[in-house]
Amino acid sequence: MILGLSTGRLLSCPPFVSSARDGTIRRRAAPGLPSPSAQSSDGLRSRRSWGIPPRRVAPAVRRLAAPPARVSTKNGASGEFSEESGPRNASFLEFLTSERVKVVAMLGLALALCNADRVVMSVAIVPLSRAHGWTQSFSGIVQSSFLWGYLMSPIVGGALVDYYGGKLVMAWGVALWSLATFLTPWAAETSLWTLLAMRVLLGVAEGVALPSMNNMVSRWFPRSERSRAVGIAMAGFQLGSAAGLLISPIIMSRTGVFGPFIIFGLFGFLWVLVWASATSSTPERHPQISKSELDYIGQREKQPVSKIKKPEKIMIPPFKKLLSKLPTWALIFANSMHSWGYFVILSWMPIYFNTVYRVDLRQAAWFSALPWVMMAVLGYFAGAWSDMLIQNGFSVTFTRKLMQSIGFLGPGISLLGLNVAKSPSVASSWLTAAVGLSSFSHAGFLVNLQEVAPRFAGVLHGMSNTAGTMAAIMGTVGAGFFVERMGSFQGFLILTSLLYFISTLFWDLFATGERIDIIMDGGGADDEEESSSPN
């Protein structure tokens, strides 16, 4: 009973009843009285009809009058949140100081090492070709040997990520590719076959990097922040390319051609030690995460992280069912085109500037590095813009199609401009535009891999990566043979632009941001997106 402040009368508080079915608490009006919602709406209409502004209610009173939130009985802690209030968006400062940002920063550093270890050979191939008398086509074969290994591991690596989780698989991947990078000088001095074997091992180990990153992002970030998180991680990926292209010639001038391989390999071993000791596979296992951040991650997904259902472990994914869906093929073709353009530019641009514009190795590396810095910046912008569009009510499908269209049309048009450039500075501008705009693909197909079949995201990523790697091998080797036979890069750049335009049309026709229906043999469908990993 509550004493009425204005009338002095005793007012009856409506009793509360508990539902045994769902454990929620609801108000029930006293006998003979209208429901609380009817009382409030009738009173509001009467005050407005008289021109009286609605009465303000103090926050404390408003909380008393509002229906109580649903309560979780597990451990006596509140785990679910009111549908009326809706999920709260984290402020930029909260985002920057959160534990999940530390995790994605470590992922970005791993991807930076991943790409730096790749591009060292793109710089070293020039002095190595001169020392060993390799032709342009054979240089392409040496550079593509990395892709031979990269072709082997994505599907198996994706299945391992779905089974064991991204933390463990990423740790083993970084350790193995750092070992391969560290041993490259010894392999090059031993024999050509040993050098090729080390490059293949590098590719095998790096094939698990992106599936592991996607797995960790899906565990640590709510859906409304994942594009931004992928943008941060992939910014490290692109900055690794820039760092490798810029630093490698400087280190080579002081320590010899093999100096960067040793330094980058040692940095990889150090990263593994920090990763193993400072991160956890899931937020609820992290010893230093705050309860508010843990609740926020669960709130954005409508349920606490600790209550997400874990599916049964499945080691053999439903490949046939996945391949029967057109959105799967849209992802495969998108990854193939992105990899074709990415690896052609990554592998051949130093040689392109060196042969077409007659610039020395340091200048060629500088012109080739600038685009990757732009890709890192625009990649984060694309992720933030994508998250903003979804939060403002645009569909996930529309957002992914828009981002991917920019990621394909932009490079296609820019490569045509590169084809007619007359100076290295103009060529560098077009190349910067091509590579920078391609980063919109990270907010397109790369994030979409988590959405189409969440339970099998690692395998789907592996399947699309395998197709992308085959396209990258064809592009990298094909560019060498094309230039050797035709005498210029122009025809190959026109072909690449045409492929970009065709891939845009295919993506816009068949891609989707919705979950596709994958019915398992046991009769169950694909589970919630967070249930993609059992750990």
Side-chain angles (χ1 to χ4, degrees), residues 269-334:
F269 296 141
L270 178 62
W271 182 93
V272 172
L273 295 177
V274 177
W275 174 257
S277 61
T279 61
S280 64
S281 58
T282 56
E284 65 268 22
R285 293 186 178 184
H286 197 284
Q288 297 177 346
I289 192 171
S290 65
K291 183 179 182 301
S292 61
E293 182 177 0
L294 193 62
D295 287 346
Y296 171 78
I297 297 173
Q299 179 188 21
R300 297 299 303 184
E301 301 303 322
K302 310 291 191 207
Q303 59 179 326
V305 175
S306 58
K307 297 187 69 177
I308 293 169
K309 180 183 176 182
K310 306 297 183 184
E312 181 184 354
K313 297 182 179 182
I314 298 176
M315 277 302 292
I316 302 178
F319 293 107
K320 184 176 180 180
K321 293 182 175 67
L322 286 170
L323 291 173
S324 67
K325 308 294 182 180
L326 280 174
T328 299
W329 288 102
L331 288 167
I332 290 174
F333 277 105

Side-chain angles (χ1 to χ4, degrees), residues 132-387:
H132 296 281
W134 296 339
T135 63
Q136 294 273 28
S137 57
F138 191 78
S139 297
I141 293 175
V142 172
Q143 293 201 78
S144 68
S145 60
F146 157 82
L147 295 170
W148 306 344
Y150 199 75
L151 180 65
M152 301 176 188
S153 61
I155 294 180
V156 176
L160 291 175
V161 166
D162 287 339
Y163 193 80
Y164 292 107
K167 179 187 175 181
L168 181 63
V169 178
M170 179 68 95
W172 277 104
V174 177
L176 286 176
W177 86 54
S178 298
L179 179 65
T181 302
F182 185 80
L183 293 179
T184 296
W186 165 80
E189 294 294 331
T190 302
S191 68
L192 177 61
W193 288 108
T194 308
L195 174 62
L196 295 178
M198 284 298 104
R199 297 295 293 175
V200 169
L201 177 60
L202 177 70
V204 170
E206 290 195 356
V208 305
L210 292 181
S212 298
M213 180 273 292
N214 253 335
N215 179 270
M216 291 295 288
V217 167
S218 68
R219 291 179 171 200
W220 274 88
F221 287 84
R223 188 174 188 177
S224 60
E225 292 182 352
R226 287 181 189 168
S227 295
R228 198 183 335 173
V230 170
I232 294 173
M234 296 305 294
F237 199 63
Q238 317 315 331
L239 290 175
S241 298
L245 289 168
L246 290 174
I247 297 174
S248 294
I250 299 174
I251 298 176
M252 288 179 185
S253 65
R254 299 187 178 184
T255 63
V257 69
F258 295 122
F261 294 95
I262 297 174
I263 293 174
F264 292 154
L266 291 176
F267 269 114
F269 296 141
L270 178 62
W271 182 93
V272 172
L273 295 177
V274 177
W275 174 257
S277 61
T279 61
S280 64
S281 58
T282 56
E284 65 268 22
R285 293 186 178 184
H286 197 284
Q288 297 177 346
I289 192 171
S290 65
K291 183 179 182 301
S292 61
E293 182 177 0
L294 193 62
D295 287 346
Y296 171 78
I297 297 173
Q299 179 188 21
R300 297 299 303 184
E301 301 303 322
K302 310 291 191 207
Q303 59 179 326
V305 175
S306 58
K307 297 187 69 177
I308 293 169
K309 180 183 176 182
K310 306 297 183 184
E312 181 184 354
K313 297 182 179 182
I314 298 176
M315 277 302 292
I316 302 178
F319 293 107
K320 184 176 180 180
K321 293 182 175 67
L322 286 170
L323 291 173
S324 67
K325 308 294 182 180
L326 280 174
T328 299
W329 288 102
L331 288 167
I332 290 174
F333 277 105
N335 200 332
S336 299
M337 187 62 247
H338 181 74
S339 297
W340 173 291
Y342 183 89
F343 280 99
V344 165
I345 294 174
L346 185 70
S347 301
W348 286 101
M349 282 306 103
I351 298 177
Y352 174 81
F353 279 101
N354 182 257
T355 57
V356 174
Y357 298 106
R358 307 298 177 186
V359 298
D360 61 30
L361 185 57
R362 285 197 185 186
Q363 287 179 309
W366 172 256
F367 283 124
S368 302
L370 279 177
W372 307 110
V373 177
M374 181 59 69
M375 192 176 191
V377 174
L378 288 184
Y380 178 79
F381 170 78
W385 185 24
S386 176
D387 287 341

